[in-house]
Amino acid sequence: YRLKDKRRAGLVTTPTTKEDETPAQSITIRGVAYGPSGFVVGGDNGRISRSADGATWQEVASPFGGTQIRGVAWGNDRYVIVADGSVALSTDGSSWTRYVTNTGFTRVTFANNVFVASASSAGVHRLYTSPDGITWTAQHDGFGSQPVVALTHGNGKFLAGSTSSMAIRFPDSLI
């Protein structure tokens, strides 16, 4: 894969074996994480790829079928990918186990030994936490009618951005 261009939906990588070779296919990236096994990206149609160096990419078997991946995170010795109604875990970025959550996860991040994911379901938008990526607990639902489209952690705070471009900050103690 080679970074091809930016699009509104996300970055697009193009698989290739040589710099001058014509790409065979592309993947729209919806999430990326880095861990000891390298980079893992997840995208449209449930596609997952990994790279040890960020230059050479390999598509791996996905447990999601055609379900769109929404986010990818690394923490507590595992990669976690969230998608519509499920999550998948991997310790190496190649072999994945899927867990049904019945939650419409939209993003995921990791900090302070906890995964934090945003979810939207039936017009309710909230944050969930998990120590392991399998068991999730609802924590906050103060987003009103705006789904979370960005989620990160830095400087002691989780930051969530909604479709109205507003940012909501949460101290670690509230999550």
Side-chain angles (χ1 to χ4, degrees), residues 106-111 116-120 125-129 139-144 146-172 174-175:
T106 57
R107 299 290 180 262
V108 67
T109 191
F110 180 86
V116 177
S118 58
S120 296
H125 312 287
R126 63 176 39 125
L127 296 180
Y128 288 78
T129 58
Q139 298 294 334
H140 181 77
D141 62 356
F143 294 99
Q146 302 299 317
V148 173
V149 296
L151 183 62
T152 193
H153 181 273
N155 198 25
K157 294 181 177 45
F158 286 95
L159 181 67
S162 72
T163 55
S164 65
S165 299
M166 60 190 233
I168 301 172
R169 293 180 297 171
F170 300 96
D172 291 345
L174 294 180
I175 301 276

Side-chain angles (χ1 to χ4, degrees), residues 51-95:
S51 173
D53 59 9
T56 305
W57 292 87
Q58 172 191 19
E59 190 163 350
V60 299
S62 171
F64 291 113
T67 302
Q68 181 171 306
I69 291 171
R70 303 289 184 170
V72 182
W74 165 262
N76 283 349
D77 299 322
R78 66 196 70 196
Y79 294 93
V80 172
I81 292 182
V82 297
D84 295 329
S86 62
V87 298
L89 277 61
S90 174
T91 57
D92 62 7
S94 294
S95 300

